[in-house]
Amino acid sequence: LGVTHLRESGDLEAARTEFATLLSLAHRCRFNYLAMQSHTCLGLTALRVGDLIAVRDACLAATAIAADHGWATSIWSAAAGAMLGFTELKRAEPADAARLAAAASESNIAKALPALRFALEVIQGAATHDRGDRMEGLSHMQQARSDLGDKPAAPLVLAAAALLEARAALQLGHLAAARTVRSWLADRIGDCAELDLMR
């Protein structure tokens, strides 16, 4: 039900309530895998509203459970790792962001899911840029976008990736590259606040 609220109705508060209820049940019954899933879904819900502190807390809990139980290669751990990597970028910790994204990229599930692989590659590219190798970082993000092609990905992921790439392009003075990623985002998801920000 929480996933339905998250995907279809857009009722984030209802989704958060459902995931929190599931997490409470998981803790009471010692359903550790369900707890990992619930933490990851709570992180995703927090990401949708821009609460990066809650994202980080939830995803740290999810990845800790995954590490304790040998589930580090699961989709839930990889997704939590991607969100953690994004929060570390926002905390100006690019080395941690790169480490988290690289670790999540090692899972077979990340390699098999184009949207997740795209997110992880963009995080690694942004981290490379922020650590000082700006041109290499921008190229990495551009390649990730090219590799994604027209495969589906959540609008939230596409918008976040486009903002990171456009910022890198602008910092390098590559206005054409910034315009290209802005046009790409417009083609993929239509009008959005991120496009206004890029303009």
Side-chain angles (χ1 to χ4, degrees), residues 155-156 158-160 162-163 181-182 184-199:
L156 177 69
L158 297 173
L163 281 174
V181 70
R182 187 181 70 200
W184 170 81
L185 183 62
D187 290 344
R188 289 296 303 254
I189 68 174
D191 199 28
C192 62
E194 288 80 4
L195 280 174
D196 292 337
L197 182 59
M198 285 189 226
R199 290 190 190 104

Side-chain angles (χ1 to χ4, degrees), residues 34-153:
L34 180 60
M36 176 181 64
Q37 292 174 310
S38 300
H39 279 301
T40 300
C41 289
L42 281 167
L44 182 58
T45 305
L47 187 63
R48 292 278 300 271
V49 296
D51 185 351
L52 296 184
I53 293 173
V55 172
R56 188 168 188 268
D57 290 345
C59 292
L60 281 171
T63 54
I65 293 170
D68 286 345
H69 296 278
W71 299 325
T73 58
S74 74
I75 186 173
W76 303 102
S77 179
M83 288 186 280
L84 271 178
F86 183 71
T87 65
E88 293 310 290
L89 283 176
K90 294 300 183 180
R91 293 176 70 236
E93 297 290 351
D96 289 339
R99 176 183 53 78
L100 287 160
S105 295
E106 290 302 309
S107 71
N108 288 330
I109 194 73
K111 294 172 183 173
L113 295 174
L116 180 56
R117 188 171 66 247
F118 168 69
L120 292 167
E121 290 294 330
V122 168
I123 290 166
Q124 290 184 70
T128 298
H129 173 273
D130 289 355
R131 293 174 81 181
D133 196 344
R134 292 189 168 189
M135 194 63 238
E136 176 62 26
L138 176 60
S139 295
H140 198 110
M141 287 185 272
Q142 290 170 328
Q143 185 61 52
R145 182 163 48 83
S146 176
D147 291 345
L148 179 66
D150 60 359
K151 300 177 189 73

Side-chain angles (χ1 to χ4, degrees), residues 4-5 8 24 28 58 82 93 99 102 107 143 165 170 195:
T4 300
H5 286 307
E8 296 173 15
S24 178
R28 282 199 315 271
E93 297 290 351
R99 176 183 53 78
S107 71
Q143 185 61 52
E165 185 181 334
L170 289 171
L195 280 174

